[in-house]
Amino acid sequence: MKLKHIILSICILLSISAQSQTKPNPKKQAERPKIGLVLSGGGAKGSAHIGVLKYFEEIGLPIDYVTGTSMGSIIGGMYSLGYSANELDTLISNLDWSIYMSNNISRDKMSSDDRIRKSTYLLTIPFNFKDGESDHIFTGIDRHDFLSSLPSSFIDGSKLTNLFNGLCVGYQDSVSFNDLPIPFACVATNIRDGKEVVLRSGSMPIAMRASMAIPGVFEPVRINGMHLVDGGLVNNIPVDVCKEMGADILIGIEVNDEVVVGDDQLKSLPQLALQLVNIAGEEKAEKNRKLCDIYIHPNIKGYNTLSFEKESIDTLIQRGYQAARQYKDVLLALKEQIDAYGPIAQTHKAPKARSIADEYIIINSVNFSDNIGKQEGNWLCRKGKLKEGTIIKGEDIEKAIETYKGTGSYSEVTYKIKQVENENANDTLEAFDINLRLRKSEPHSIGFGFRYDTEESASVLLNISLNHNRLTGAKLDFTTKLGYNPYINTTFTWANRGTNKISASYEFYSADFKTYVNEDDLENINFRSNRFCIYISEFHLFSFNGALGVRCTILPHIKFPFINNEATDDFNFGPFLRAQFDNMDNAFFAMHGSKATLDASMNFGRDKQERFGSVQFSWESYFTPNDWRITLIPQIYISDIIGTNNQLINRNFVGGSFAGRYLNQQLPFVGSLYTNMTNNFTAIARFDVRVRLFKRHYASGICNYLRHSDKIEKFFTNGESFDNWGFGLKYTLDSHIGPISLEGQWSDLTHKFSAYFSLGYKF
């Protein structure tokens, strides 16, 4: 290894000497050789580039040109904009890449409808029957049928675009990349003809985003009629591009795996896509390696394109530093020869790009793309708290964008800001115009859910929503569950741009479930229900949602075999109220936040004497001290039935895996897989301790206490109330198809040990 470095040093010295002896251009004799840095693609492995840059800065080696592909374009682009290696280390290490490498938005910015969809459906596909004007304005493309409206990728990439926009303040508009603090170029592939495209000017955020758009994973970037994707398809280590820019000494850094990799490295779509990129560009890569005067390949063993965890990134940065340090003699020899030309001057004195995320700024104006009307724009300004003349933090723009996407009405939102003169601006407080570009979501969607458990076996949930993603107007939602207990729900809604919407719905439900007659005997209850509702509900509120309306319930077939073998029927109608507060940070594995739900109704039957009310309340809260592995989850469930009630189907029930599975007034109780009928006032207190064993794996200990009585005033009176205890142990895997759980439980309600298995979301 030492001999190789000595030979490299001699070659570099001879190269510099030869250039100094060239006489046709006297001016050229006085110019020092220019050093070009080439950074390859490689996903998370590209973090090693930062370690190499750290060593270059440590020895004072100047960089005159930078070229990059994919992750190399991101690291190289930010370095060209003036960010130091240490700043890049802090930035890359502290980013939550799971957010930027997805379309996910934080749960607190989702509407209540979308929270339910996200935690119910395994897959939701947006579509349109005929493309609208708004998408043509945004993309320049007309799409006229259902198939062409389907998504072209899993990730739209707008989060990355906004990340880059926030870091490139001063260089968001079209510029020549030769005018950056360090001249820069990056490579993309035009997917239309498969040709290499070298980006040397334009918007820096868009150029970096285009260079790393892995086909099928990230949406292509459209520039001047071209559809640009990852440059690694054609030129993953663009040494030739750097040479064309004028570099005399070429340093190439490559972080790619070899083309042949193990099965364990080909587990996900991004890994497979990167493998295809490697194969496609291998011939060009080999030619470019031979052009390098210095070629550095950090040790990336054990890491892949998706190793974005902070620990992995820190290790990769350190390995990049160590790899560069192995070339210490060669690099110091090069530095010595460069120093012989005199003090090193910066090639360009362009100002460094800046980030205003933590700075306060004045909003001079807020402007929207042409597909957003004035009324809609005003509503968006209020919703995102972006008002002209107000002072905000730079990061508040990102929060507003999350809010807009949380409405579900916009599939992509990007922004640019431009510093302007303003009478209220001063040396410490600057004014900016905010320009927002919004692509409207496809209005319709198809949803699919799947669940298996030991209580109902397999169930499939299908949904078609028309105009669900429109801010205003008519919406139609059709949902059906296929399984042991099927149901159909059709809801028509009229929404305005305010907070309220008016809905009318019809639901058919057929239920057949087991209940304990005593500790030893299980019998089936079955009924069919037709329910009609008209109600007013919230629209585009986040932590709170509610509904107020009237409903009519017809039960033409109710059968309690243990009472008699004849089916009965029931009819009732009346007003209802539902209110819910939910600020949990995750629907199934929350670490912080609470959820409280109140349901109340008044019901009138055929008989004037038959009238009863019901009130159900539930509360759960999540505490994770110091964000550690242990989460404490206290819970309360209460149901109170008041008045004259002639039908047993309207009584309280406890048991089963989750609340309201078969009946509105059914409360969950660990220790009883099946339901148990209880008295009019029923309450359950429950406490879970959940431990995260390692990534995506959880173990929980559960204890719950049940107490019930005929009336609330008898609840605390011994002899007139009944109580039971239940215990459980649960193991859960947070899988990509929903939670997978195995639970063992026991209670003195049944005096039986039972096991429960479930796969998928709850519905």
Side-chain angles (χ1 to χ4, degrees), residues 213-226:
I214 303 168
V217 179
F218 288 99
E219 185 173 313
V221 174
R222 298 169 178 90
I223 300 177
N224 299 327
M226 299 181 292

Side-chain angles (χ1 to χ4, degrees), residues 43 121 179 181 216 281 335 344 372 404 496 513 549 558 580 616 653 715:
Y121 295 103
D179 296 331
K335 173 68 166 59
I344 298 172
I372 304 298
Y404 299 155
N496 58 42
F513 61 96
I558 310 170
Q580 185 179 82
Q616 285 88 40
F653 288 79
F715 185 74

